């Protein structure tokens, strides 16, 4: 079962943190839109940031942990 979780990209978290985990997928801009903007990666990142900011459970002072599916990239972002 642990191997299945690893393959699915589910992180190993304490039980109290598992209930607070939310998966947000990255936005892929359509090619027509990608060609119209100067920095498509920045636009995609801004869309994800907006999604995170509208999550009801995220308050000022909440720490946000961002990982990729392989858990290779990790960022802890304090919310102000």
């Amino acid at each position: 079962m642990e191997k299945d979780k690893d393959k699915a990209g589910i992180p190993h978290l304490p039980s109290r943190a598992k209930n607070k985990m939310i998966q947000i997928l990255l936005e892929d801009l359509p090619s027509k839109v990608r060609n119209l903007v100067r920095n498509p990666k920045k636009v995609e990142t801004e869309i994800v940031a907006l999604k995170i900011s509208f999550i009801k459970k995220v308050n000022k002072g909440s720490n946000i942990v961002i990982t990729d599916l392989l858990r290779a990239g990790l960022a802890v972002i304090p919310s102000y």
Side-chain angles (χ1 to χ4, degrees), residues 28-76:
D28 288 330
L29 294 175
S31 60
K32 288 182 179 182
V33 177
R34 281 184 89 77
N35 294 333
L36 293 173
V37 297
R38 289 186 183 147
N39 191 344
K41 284 291 182 192
K42 184 176 179 180
V43 173
E44 292 169 349
T45 305
E46 291 288 333
I47 292 171
V48 172
L50 280 171
K51 286 181 178 181
I52 292 170
S53 71
F54 279 96
I55 295 172
K56 289 182 181 180
K57 293 182 181 180
V58 176
N59 298 316
K60 289 185 177 183
S62 298
N63 287 333
I64 301 168
V65 179
I66 299 174
T67 64
D68 60 2
L69 288 176
L70 301 175
R71 297 184 307 278
L74 175 68
V76 178

